[in-house]
Amino acid sequence: MKGKEWYQADEVAEEYEAKRFSKGGRLIDRREKQAVLNALGPVEDRDVLEIACGTGRFTVMLAERGANVVGLDISRAMLAQGREKARAANVADRIEFLRGDAARLPFPDDHFDTVLAMRFFHLADTPAKFLAEMRRVSKEQVFFDTFNSFSTRVLYNWLLPMGSRLYSRDEVDRLLGDAGLSLSTAEHDFILPYGFYREIPNDLASTFRDLDTAIQRSPFGQRLASVSYWNAAVNR
């Protein structure tokens, strides 16, 4: 896993949300949460596993909507923040946070209704292995996002401390097929990369976001998207 040691550092966990989801990063947070909700639909009483749950952004959101959620992450510091967030939201009874390896999930086959992973596959050195494990423990649905190779993401990818894996649509199609998954829906977004939005004030970010979405509506707009959200069904 690229950046494994970097990601587990206590100081990274402490600064994670402040650096990524303040300023213009707030609109990224809102868009990512909406993408998850769009794909998963009603989650009340459903069993959900979140891979690489981090500080619990999505874990807590889903628990607040009635899901029974397991959040798995490799970082103890991230998990500690997730537990605090769950207690503050009064949903700790609906969430179990576990430290574990996404390549060897400690669950039986078909254990969850839905398995999701956000901000994970750009770090994966063996994506096929991770996706196969996600499919193994899911009865119905697998949802994840990728950063895309034909996008502005390329321009600053080398600046990231852990590196970042970029995917083409063909590669995602192969990964899904090999894992026994069929694509149900996909959303493609953000012509301008996340890093750009995180560096500018929220009000200014909204202006650029309007421009971004206008470009997306053009004939080639979605082909230039820097991030894609993939909603897949388990083949039976």
PDB file of all heavy atoms in Angstrom, residues 27-58:
ATOM      1  N   LEU A  27     -16.687  21.801  -0.049  1.00  0.00           N
ATOM      2  CA  LEU A  27     -17.573  21.372  -1.128  1.00  0.00           C
ATOM      3  C   LEU A  27     -17.204  19.969  -1.606  1.00  0.00           C
ATOM      4  O   LEU A  27     -18.067  19.215  -2.086  1.00  0.00           O
ATOM      5  CB  LEU A  27     -17.588  22.375  -2.276  1.00  0.00           C
ATOM      6  CG  LEU A  27     -16.329  22.673  -3.075  1.00  0.00           C
ATOM      7  CD1 LEU A  27     -16.057  21.649  -4.149  1.00  0.00           C
ATOM      8  CD2 LEU A  27     -16.467  24.052  -3.732  1.00  0.00           C
ATOM      9  N   ILE A  28     -15.927  19.592  -1.472  1.00  0.00           N
ATOM     10  CA  ILE A  28     -15.525  18.213  -1.785  1.00  0.00           C
ATOM     11  C   ILE A  28     -16.198  17.249  -0.818  1.00  0.00           C
ATOM     12  O   ILE A  28     -16.736  16.206  -1.218  1.00  0.00           O
ATOM     13  CB  ILE A  28     -13.997  18.065  -1.718  1.00  0.00           C
ATOM     14  CG1 ILE A  28     -13.319  18.952  -2.762  1.00  0.00           C
ATOM     15  CG2 ILE A  28     -13.593  16.599  -1.926  1.00  0.00           C
ATOM     16  CD1 ILE A  28     -11.822  19.042  -2.604  1.00  0.00           C
ATOM     17  N   ASP A  29     -16.168  17.585   0.457  1.00  0.00           N
ATOM     18  CA  ASP A  29     -16.800  16.752   1.474  1.00  0.00           C
ATOM     19  C   ASP A  29     -18.283  16.574   1.166  1.00  0.00           C
ATOM     20  O   ASP A  29     -18.815  15.448   1.211  1.00  0.00           O
ATOM     21  CB  ASP A  29     -16.608  17.391   2.844  1.00  0.00           C
ATOM     22  CG  ASP A  29     -17.212  16.577   3.970  1.00  0.00           C
ATOM     23  OD1 ASP A  29     -16.880  15.385   4.097  1.00  0.00           O
ATOM     24  OD2 ASP A  29     -18.022  17.135   4.739  1.00  0.00           O
ATOM     25  N   ARG A  30     -18.972  17.659   0.842  1.00  0.00           N
ATOM     26  CA  ARG A  30     -20.400  17.573   0.533  1.00  0.00           C
ATOM     27  C   ARG A  30     -20.646  16.708  -0.695  1.00  0.00           C
ATOM     28  O   ARG A  30     -21.567  15.885  -0.720  1.00  0.00           O
ATOM     29  CB  ARG A  30     -20.985  18.972   0.316  1.00  0.00           C
ATOM     30  CG  ARG A  30     -21.079  19.818   1.573  1.00  0.00           C
ATOM     31  CD  ARG A  30     -21.974  21.027   1.350  1.00  0.00           C
ATOM     32  NE  ARG A  30     -21.466  21.913   0.315  1.00  0.00           N
ATOM     33  CZ  ARG A  30     -20.635  22.930   0.550  1.00  0.00           C
ATOM     34  NH1 ARG A  30     -20.197  23.177   1.776  1.00  0.00           N
ATOM     35  NH2 ARG A  30     -20.230  23.710  -0.442  1.00  0.00           N
ATOM     36  N   ARG A  31     -19.835  16.885  -1.727  1.00  0.00           N
ATOM     37  CA  ARG A  31     -20.033  16.130  -2.975  1.00  0.00           C
ATOM     38  C   ARG A  31     -19.763  14.649  -2.758  1.00  0.00           C
ATOM     39  O   ARG A  31     -20.502  13.790  -3.271  1.00  0.00           O
ATOM     40  CB  ARG A  31     -19.113  16.682  -4.071  1.00  0.00           C
ATOM     41  CG  ARG A  31     -19.243  15.920  -5.393  1.00  0.00           C
ATOM     42  CD  ARG A  31     -20.646  16.049  -5.957  1.00  0.00           C
ATOM     43  NE  ARG A  31     -20.799  15.332  -7.213  1.00  0.00           N
ATOM     44  CZ  ARG A  31     -21.332  14.126  -7.329  1.00  0.00           C
ATOM     45  NH1 ARG A  31     -21.774  13.476  -6.242  1.00  0.00           N
ATOM     46  NH2 ARG A  31     -21.458  13.537  -8.502  1.00  0.00           N
ATOM     47  N   GLU A  32     -18.726  14.319  -2.027  1.00  0.00           N
ATOM     48  CA  GLU A  32     -18.421  12.910  -1.783  1.00  0.00           C
ATOM     49  C   GLU A  32     -19.539  12.240  -0.981  1.00  0.00           C
ATOM     50  O   GLU A  32     -19.942  11.110  -1.279  1.00  0.00           O
ATOM     51  CB  GLU A  32     -17.093  12.778  -1.052  1.00  0.00           C
ATOM     52  CG  GLU A  32     -15.891  13.093  -1.917  1.00  0.00           C
ATOM     53  CD  GLU A  32     -14.587  12.860  -1.188  1.00  0.00           C
ATOM     54  OE1 GLU A  32     -14.528  13.074   0.042  1.00  0.00           O
ATOM     55  OE2 GLU A  32     -13.617  12.478  -1.851  1.00  0.00           O
ATOM     56  N   LYS A  33     -20.035  12.930   0.024  1.00  0.00           N
ATOM     57  CA  LYS A  33     -21.128  12.357   0.814  1.00  0.00           C
ATOM     58  C   LYS A  33     -22.376  12.174  -0.031  1.00  0.00           C
ATOM     59  O   LYS A  33     -23.080  11.159   0.095  1.00  0.00           O
ATOM     60  CB  LYS A  33     -21.404  13.242   2.030  1.00  0.00           C
ATOM     61  CG  LYS A  33     -20.313  13.146   3.092  1.00  0.00           C
ATOM     62  CD  LYS A  33     -20.561  14.094   4.253  1.00  0.00           C
ATOM     63  CE  LYS A  33     -19.490  13.914   5.328  1.00  0.00           C
ATOM     64  NZ  LYS A  33     -19.619  14.898   6.421  1.00  0.00           N
ATOM     65  N   GLN A  34     -22.654  13.124  -0.906  1.00  0.00           N
ATOM     66  CA  GLN A  34     -23.815  12.983  -1.778  1.00  0.00           C
ATOM     67  C   GLN A  34     -23.633  11.818  -2.740  1.00  0.00           C
ATOM     68  O   GLN A  34     -24.592  11.089  -3.039  1.00  0.00           O
ATOM     69  CB  GLN A  34     -24.049  14.275  -2.563  1.00  0.00           C
ATOM     70  CG  GLN A  34     -25.374  14.284  -3.326  1.00  0.00           C
ATOM     71  CD  GLN A  34     -26.565  14.099  -2.410  1.00  0.00           C
ATOM     72  OE1 GLN A  34     -26.745  14.857  -1.452  1.00  0.00           O
ATOM     73  NE2 GLN A  34     -27.397  13.090  -2.673  1.00  0.00           N
ATOM     74  N   ALA A  35     -22.414  11.623  -3.238  1.00  0.00           N
ATOM     75  CA  ALA A  35     -22.150  10.496  -4.136  1.00  0.00           C
ATOM     76  C   ALA A  35     -22.412   9.165  -3.436  1.00  0.00           C
ATOM     77  O   ALA A  35     -22.988   8.240  -4.028  1.00  0.00           O
ATOM     78  CB  ALA A  35     -20.711  10.548  -4.641  1.00  0.00           C
ATOM     79  N   VAL A  36     -22.006   9.058  -2.179  1.00  0.00           N
ATOM     80  CA  VAL A  36     -22.262   7.841  -1.408  1.00  0.00           C
ATOM     81  C   VAL A  36     -23.759   7.632  -1.228  1.00  0.00           C
ATOM     82  O   VAL A  36     -24.287   6.527  -1.446  1.00  0.00           O
ATOM     83  CB  VAL A  36     -21.544   7.905  -0.046  1.00  0.00           C
ATOM     84  CG1 VAL A  36     -21.980   6.756   0.857  1.00  0.00           C
ATOM     85  CG2 VAL A  36     -20.024   7.863  -0.237  1.00  0.00           C
ATOM     86  N   LEU A  37     -24.466   8.667  -0.841  1.00  0.00           N
ATOM     87  CA  LEU A  37     -25.908   8.544  -0.617  1.00  0.00           C
ATOM     88  C   LEU A  37     -26.656   8.243  -1.916  1.00  0.00           C
ATOM     89  O   LEU A  37     -27.618   7.460  -1.924  1.00  0.00           O
ATOM     90  CB  LEU A  37     -26.449   9.827   0.020  1.00  0.00           C
ATOM     91  CG  LEU A  37     -25.934  10.131   1.428  1.00  0.00           C
ATOM     92  CD1 LEU A  37     -26.457  11.485   1.895  1.00  0.00           C
ATOM     93  CD2 LEU A  37     -26.332   9.036   2.413  1.00  0.00           C
ATOM     94  N   ASN A  38     -26.216   8.842  -3.022  1.00  0.00           N
ATOM     95  CA  ASN A  38     -26.846   8.563  -4.312  1.00  0.00           C
ATOM     96  C   ASN A  38     -26.742   7.086  -4.665  1.00  0.00           C
ATOM     97  O   ASN A  38     -27.687   6.477  -5.175  1.00  0.00           O
ATOM     98  CB  ASN A  38     -26.195   9.386  -5.423  1.00  0.00           C
ATOM     99  CG  ASN A  38     -26.525  10.858  -5.351  1.00  0.00           C
ATOM    100  OD1 ASN A  38     -27.422  11.281  -4.619  1.00  0.00           O
ATOM    101  ND2 ASN A  38     -25.799  11.662  -6.104  1.00  0.00           N
ATOM    102  N   ALA A  39     -25.587   6.516  -4.427  1.00  0.00           N
ATOM    103  CA  ALA A  39     -25.340   5.125  -4.814  1.00  0.00           C
ATOM    104  C   ALA A  39     -26.002   4.133  -3.862  1.00  0.00           C
ATOM    105  O   ALA A  39     -26.589   3.137  -4.290  1.00  0.00           O
ATOM    106  CB  ALA A  39     -23.840   4.855  -4.876  1.00  0.00           C
ATOM    107  N   LEU A  40     -25.919   4.409  -2.565  1.00  0.00           N
ATOM    108  CA  LEU A  40     -26.413   3.441  -1.588  1.00  0.00           C
ATOM    109  C   LEU A  40     -27.918   3.512  -1.392  1.00  0.00           C
ATOM    110  O   LEU A  40     -28.548   2.516  -1.035  1.00  0.00           O
ATOM    111  CB  LEU A  40     -25.700   3.635  -0.239  1.00  0.00           C
ATOM    112  CG  LEU A  40     -24.389   2.850  -0.052  1.00  0.00           C
ATOM    113  CD1 LEU A  40     -23.375   3.176  -1.124  1.00  0.00           C
ATOM    114  CD2 LEU A  40     -23.818   3.111   1.329  1.00  0.00           C
ATOM    115  N   GLY A  41     -28.506   4.679  -1.602  1.00  0.00           N
ATOM    116  CA  GLY A  41     -29.934   4.820  -1.387  1.00  0.00           C
ATOM    117  C   GLY A  41     -30.277   4.676   0.085  1.00  0.00           C
ATOM    118  O   GLY A  41     -29.430   4.885   0.964  1.00  0.00           O
ATOM    119  N   PRO A  42     -31.512   4.291   0.412  1.00  0.00           N
ATOM    120  CA  PRO A  42     -31.894   4.110   1.819  1.00  0.00           C
ATOM    121  C   PRO A  42     -31.037   3.024   2.476  1.00  0.00           C
ATOM    122  O   PRO A  42     -30.866   1.941   1.922  1.00  0.00           O
ATOM    123  CB  PRO A  42     -33.366   3.683   1.732  1.00  0.00           C
ATOM    124  CG  PRO A  42     -33.833   4.172   0.405  1.00  0.00           C
ATOM    125  CD  PRO A  42     -32.654   4.078  -0.502  1.00  0.00           C
ATOM    126  N   VAL A  43     -30.520   3.313   3.655  1.00  0.00           N
ATOM    127  CA  VAL A  43     -29.610   2.366   4.315  1.00  0.00           C
ATOM    128  C   VAL A  43     -30.125   1.894   5.666  1.00  0.00           C
ATOM    129  O   VAL A  43     -29.431   1.144   6.356  1.00  0.00           O
ATOM    130  CB  VAL A  43     -28.204   2.991   4.496  1.00  0.00           C
ATOM    131  CG1 VAL A  43     -27.554   3.244   3.151  1.00  0.00           C
ATOM    132  CG2 VAL A  43     -28.275   4.271   5.341  1.00  0.00           C
ATOM    133  N   GLU A  44     -31.305   2.279   6.036  1.00  0.00           N
ATOM    134  CA  GLU A  44     -31.822   1.909   7.359  1.00  0.00           C
ATOM    135  C   GLU A  44     -31.851   0.386   7.518  1.00  0.00           C
ATOM    136  O   GLU A  44     -32.350  -0.345   6.662  1.00  0.00           O
ATOM    137  CB  GLU A  44     -33.228   2.467   7.555  1.00  0.00           C
ATOM    138  CG  GLU A  44     -33.760   2.250   8.956  1.00  0.00           C
ATOM    139  CD  GLU A  44     -35.069   2.970   9.202  1.00  0.00           C
ATOM    140  OE1 GLU A  44     -35.581   3.628   8.261  1.00  0.00           O
ATOM    141  OE2 GLU A  44     -35.581   2.885  10.331  1.00  0.00           O
ATOM    142  N   ASP A  45     -31.230  -0.061   8.623  1.00  0.00           N
ATOM    143  CA  ASP A  45     -31.155  -1.477   8.997  1.00  0.00           C
ATOM    144  C   ASP A  45     -30.321  -2.323   8.044  1.00  0.00           C
ATOM    145  O   ASP A  45     -30.339  -3.556   8.138  1.00  0.00           O
ATOM    146  CB  ASP A  45     -32.557  -2.091   9.135  1.00  0.00           C
ATOM    147  CG  ASP A  45     -33.340  -1.464  10.286  1.00  0.00           C
ATOM    148  OD1 ASP A  45     -32.711  -1.086  11.282  1.00  0.00           O
ATOM    149  OD2 ASP A  45     -34.572  -1.346  10.167  1.00  0.00           O
ATOM    150  N   ARG A  46     -29.600  -1.708   7.148  1.00  0.00           N
ATOM    151  CA  ARG A  46     -28.693  -2.463   6.275  1.00  0.00           C
ATOM    152  C   ARG A  46     -27.328  -2.596   6.946  1.00  0.00           C
ATOM    153  O   ARG A  46     -26.913  -1.729   7.722  1.00  0.00           O
ATOM    154  CB  ARG A  46     -28.553  -1.780   4.913  1.00  0.00           C
ATOM    155  CG  ARG A  46     -29.811  -1.881   4.068  1.00  0.00           C
ATOM    156  CD  ARG A  46     -29.684  -1.142   2.761  1.00  0.00           C
ATOM    157  NE  ARG A  46     -28.674  -1.694   1.876  1.00  0.00           N
ATOM    158  CZ  ARG A  46     -28.862  -2.752   1.088  1.00  0.00           C
ATOM    159  NH1 ARG A  46     -30.026  -3.380   1.079  1.00  0.00           N
ATOM    160  NH2 ARG A  46     -27.899  -3.175   0.294  1.00  0.00           N
ATOM    161  N   ASP A  47     -26.649  -3.693   6.629  1.00  0.00           N
ATOM    162  CA  ASP A  47     -25.314  -3.954   7.165  1.00  0.00           C
ATOM    163  C   ASP A  47     -24.290  -3.469   6.159  1.00  0.00           C
ATOM    164  O   ASP A  47     -24.261  -3.943   5.005  1.00  0.00           O
ATOM    165  CB  ASP A  47     -25.125  -5.448   7.434  1.00  0.00           C
ATOM    166  CG  ASP A  47     -26.060  -5.961   8.515  1.00  0.00           C
ATOM    167  OD1 ASP A  47     -26.295  -5.221   9.491  1.00  0.00           O
ATOM    168  OD2 ASP A  47     -26.560  -7.095   8.383  1.00  0.00           O
ATOM    169  N   VAL A  48     -23.453  -2.528   6.587  1.00  0.00           N
ATOM    170  CA  VAL A  48     -22.521  -1.853   5.690  1.00  0.00           C
ATOM    171  C   VAL A  48     -21.108  -1.954   6.242  1.00  0.00           C
ATOM    172  O   VAL A  48     -20.879  -1.754   7.440  1.00  0.00           O
ATOM    173  CB  VAL A  48     -22.892  -0.364   5.518  1.00  0.00           C
ATOM    174  CG1 VAL A  48     -21.894   0.342   4.615  1.00  0.00           C
ATOM    175  CG2 VAL A  48     -24.312  -0.227   4.958  1.00  0.00           C
ATOM    176  N   LEU A  49     -20.166  -2.262   5.368  1.00  0.00           N
ATOM    177  CA  LEU A  49     -18.749  -2.229   5.712  1.00  0.00           C
ATOM    178  C   LEU A  49     -18.087  -1.095   4.953  1.00  0.00           C
ATOM    179  O   LEU A  49     -18.223  -1.001   3.730  1.00  0.00           O
ATOM    180  CB  LEU A  49     -18.065  -3.548   5.329  1.00  0.00           C
ATOM    181  CG  LEU A  49     -16.533  -3.562   5.409  1.00  0.00           C
ATOM    182  CD1 LEU A  49     -16.044  -3.385   6.846  1.00  0.00           C
ATOM    183  CD2 LEU A  49     -15.967  -4.851   4.802  1.00  0.00           C
ATOM    184  N   GLU A  50     -17.379  -0.235   5.678  1.00  0.00           N
ATOM    185  CA  GLU A  50     -16.573   0.797   5.022  1.00  0.00           C
ATOM    186  C   GLU A  50     -15.104   0.458   5.170  1.00  0.00           C
ATOM    187  O   GLU A  50     -14.578   0.382   6.283  1.00  0.00           O
ATOM    188  CB  GLU A  50     -16.832   2.188   5.585  1.00  0.00           C
ATOM    189  CG  GLU A  50     -16.039   3.227   4.798  1.00  0.00           C
ATOM    190  CD  GLU A  50     -16.129   4.641   5.331  1.00  0.00           C
ATOM    191  OE1 GLU A  50     -16.821   4.870   6.343  1.00  0.00           O
ATOM    192  OE2 GLU A  50     -15.466   5.514   4.733  1.00  0.00           O
ATOM    193  N   ILE A  51     -14.454   0.255   4.050  1.00  0.00           N
ATOM    194  CA  ILE A  51     -13.012   0.008   3.998  1.00  0.00           C
ATOM    195  C   ILE A  51     -12.291   1.353   4.053  1.00  0.00           C
ATOM    196  O   ILE A  51     -12.688   2.305   3.388  1.00  0.00           O
ATOM    197  CB  ILE A  51     -12.622  -0.720   2.691  1.00  0.00           C
ATOM    198  CG1 ILE A  51     -13.396  -2.030   2.544  1.00  0.00           C
ATOM    199  CG2 ILE A  51     -11.120  -0.963   2.634  1.00  0.00           C
ATOM    200  CD1 ILE A  51     -13.074  -3.060   3.572  1.00  0.00           C
ATOM    201  N   ALA A  52     -11.205   1.415   4.808  1.00  0.00           N
ATOM    202  CA  ALA A  52     -10.434   2.656   4.939  1.00  0.00           C
ATOM    203  C   ALA A  52     -11.344   3.788   5.416  1.00  0.00           C
ATOM    204  O   ALA A  52     -11.440   4.842   4.797  1.00  0.00           O
ATOM    205  CB  ALA A  52      -9.743   3.018   3.628  1.00  0.00           C
ATOM    206  N   CYS A  53     -12.012   3.554   6.537  1.00  0.00           N
ATOM    207  CA  CYS A  53     -13.013   4.500   7.041  1.00  0.00           C
ATOM    208  C   CYS A  53     -12.393   5.773   7.589  1.00  0.00           C
ATOM    209  O   CYS A  53     -13.098   6.769   7.781  1.00  0.00           O
ATOM    210  CB  CYS A  53     -13.873   3.831   8.101  1.00  0.00           C
ATOM    211  SG  CYS A  53     -12.993   3.394   9.624  1.00  0.00           S
ATOM    212  N   GLY A  54     -11.095   5.771   7.875  1.00  0.00           N
ATOM    213  CA  GLY A  54     -10.430   6.974   8.343  1.00  0.00           C
ATOM    214  C   GLY A  54     -11.049   7.526   9.609  1.00  0.00           C
ATOM    215  O   GLY A  54     -11.274   6.801  10.580  1.00  0.00           O
ATOM    216  N   THR A  55     -11.375   8.795   9.591  1.00  0.00           N
ATOM    217  CA  THR A  55     -11.930   9.471  10.767  1.00  0.00           C
ATOM    218  C   THR A  55     -13.451   9.348  10.857  1.00  0.00           C
ATOM    219  O   THR A  55     -14.076  10.017  11.668  1.00  0.00           O
ATOM    220  CB  THR A  55     -11.534  10.955  10.758  1.00  0.00           C
ATOM    221  OG1 THR A  55     -12.027  11.562   9.558  1.00  0.00           O
ATOM    222  CG2 THR A  55     -10.027  11.120  10.835  1.00  0.00           C
ATOM    223  N   GLY A  56     -14.039   8.511  10.021  1.00  0.00           N
ATOM    224  CA  GLY A  56     -15.456   8.213  10.151  1.00  0.00           C
ATOM    225  C   GLY A  56     -16.404   9.161   9.458  1.00  0.00           C
ATOM    226  O   GLY A  56     -17.585   9.224   9.820  1.00  0.00           O
ATOM    227  N   ARG A  57     -15.946   9.885   8.443  1.00  0.00           N
ATOM    228  CA  ARG A  57     -16.845  10.827   7.756  1.00  0.00           C
ATOM    229  C   ARG A  57     -18.095  10.135   7.219  1.00  0.00           C
ATOM    230  O   ARG A  57     -19.216  10.598   7.426  1.00  0.00           O
ATOM    231  CB  ARG A  57     -16.123  11.484   6.579  1.00  0.00           C
ATOM    232  CG  ARG A  57     -15.186  12.600   6.945  1.00  0.00           C
ATOM    233  CD  ARG A  57     -14.816  13.412   5.715  1.00  0.00           C
ATOM    234  NE  ARG A  57     -14.229  12.619   4.663  1.00  0.00           N
ATOM    235  CZ  ARG A  57     -14.536  12.752   3.364  1.00  0.00           C
ATOM    236  NH1 ARG A  57     -15.442  13.621   2.968  1.00  0.00           N
ATOM    237  NH2 ARG A  57     -13.935  12.004   2.453  1.00  0.00           N
ATOM    238  N   PHE A  58     -17.902   9.045   6.495  1.00  0.00           N
ATOM    239  CA  PHE A  58     -19.029   8.336   5.899  1.00  0.00           C
ATOM    240  C   PHE A  58     -19.637   7.339   6.879  1.00  0.00           C
ATOM    241  O   PHE A  58     -20.854   7.122   6.866  1.00  0.00           O
ATOM    242  CB  PHE A  58     -18.579   7.628   4.620  1.00  0.00           C
ATOM    243  CG  PHE A  58     -17.900   8.536   3.649  1.00  0.00           C
ATOM    244  CD1 PHE A  58     -16.529   8.503   3.486  1.00  0.00           C
ATOM    245  CD2 PHE A  58     -18.625   9.457   2.899  1.00  0.00           C
ATOM    246  CE1 PHE A  58     -15.893   9.354   2.596  1.00  0.00           C
ATOM    247  CE2 PHE A  58     -18.006  10.314   2.006  1.00  0.00           C
ATOM    248  CZ  PHE A  58     -16.625  10.262   1.861  1.00  0.00           C
TER     249      PHE A  58
END
